[in-house]
Amino acid sequence: MAERTESNQPAAAEPQPARGRPRDAGRDRALLEATVAVLQESGYGRLTTAAVAKRAGVSTATLYRRWRSKEDLVVGTAVRWASDLGPQPDTGSLEGDLATLLRDKAETLEGPGGRLLHVLIGEAAHNEALARVLDTAIIQPVRDRAAAVVRRAVARGDIPPLQDAHVLADLVVGSMVSRLFLTPDAAHPGPADGPSSGEAAIRELLPFLLRAVGAQPG
């Protein structure tokens, strides 16, 4: 198979310049977006690399130069969308930090990352590799950000120390997934001049989460 042949080729020595044209970031992005679209339409079981390549407007050889298999492609897509979450800014207050974290998570769940997560949640129950990437690439970054929010709040004296700061991340992820994926009314956008489902969820959840970690809304 083409991908096996490519993966078995010896890597070039470090001092030597790379041969061929550099990777096209636009094609990478097109392949990632096509993967999410095909996953949403067909599910993991019926996804094929040929369908993804066709949707992205590239050859399968182009896809295989980036990912060796369907599983590598899906895992790589999950990692890329998770990395789009970015670093947690320090707003100077627990309420501001937590609102930013909730907003970033809402934007992720309402965009391509959310569609990808929908598929991974179902597939991860019987696919160990995807279960690992669901944890390490999607859940763990939120847990790390939530822990940083808690550490800053404790250092400022906003809240008492927590025995397990990662519990806040579980509350953030669990509550946002429940509101945006599992609650029928929240899963559909409201009026054009009203708040999005994510913004509405943030307004409801932020006061509760502040109290849960020992603070009071401002």
Side-chain angles (χ1 to χ4, degrees):
M1 294 177 63
E3 65 270 29
R4 180 175 298 173
T5 300
E6 292 173 359
S7 63
N8 287 339
Q9 290 177 348
E14 185 66 25
Q16 297 177 354
R19 290 182 296 175
R21 290 177 294 180
R23 279 176 52 162
D24 184 339
R27 287 185 178 181
D28 287 355
R29 186 78 178 187
L31 282 163
L32 294 171
E33 292 176 349
T35 301
V36 174
V38 175
L39 277 170
Q40 188 176 19
E41 293 172 359
S42 306
Y44 181 83
R46 292 189 294 165
L47 177 143
T48 65
T49 53
V52 172
K54 182 178 179 180
R55 174 68 67 92
V58 304
S59 68
T60 53
T62 296
L63 185 152
Y64 281 129
R65 280 194 290 271
R66 290 154 170 81
W67 297 282
R68 296 173 299 174
S69 66
K70 176 174 83 170
E71 186 172 89
D72 283 349
L73 173 63
V74 174
V75 168
T77 302
V79 170
R80 178 66 61 87
W81 284 119
S83 68
D84 285 349
L85 191 62
Q88 169 72 49
D90 183 354
T91 68
S93 73
L94 173 60
E95 185 169 0
D97 284 356
L98 189 51
T100 300
L101 178 57
L102 286 168
R103 188 165 291 108
D104 284 354
K105 192 60 184 174
E107 290 176 357
T108 298
L109 294 179
E110 291 182 308
R115 299 197 298 271
L116 179 61
L117 183 59
H118 244 145
V119 176
L120 289 182
I121 288 174
E123 183 65 26
H126 48 272
N127 186 315
E128 184 178 351
L130 290 182
R132 284 197 302 270
V133 79
L134 180 65
D135 178 55
T136 60
I138 296 178
I139 305 301
Q140 194 58 46
V142 180
R143 289 170 66 88
D144 292 341
R145 281 185 55 168
V149 167
V150 169
R151 285 194 298 269
R152 287 199 297 266
V154 171
R156 287 191 299 260
D158 295 342
I159 58 174
L162 299 182
Q163 184 174 0
D164 185 357
H166 286 121
V167 171
L168 176 60
D170 296 335
L171 291 173
V172 168
V173 174
S175 58
M176 292 301 285
V177 167
S178 175
R179 289 287 286 119
L180 298 180
F181 284 3
L182 305 178
T183 305
D185 291 341
H188 304 285
D193 58 348
S196 67
S197 298
E199 285 294 332
I202 292 167
R203 293 180 184 180
E204 295 175 7
L205 294 170
L206 183 56
F208 169 79
L209 293 175
L210 286 169
R211 288 192 292 270
V213 295
Q216 292 296 325

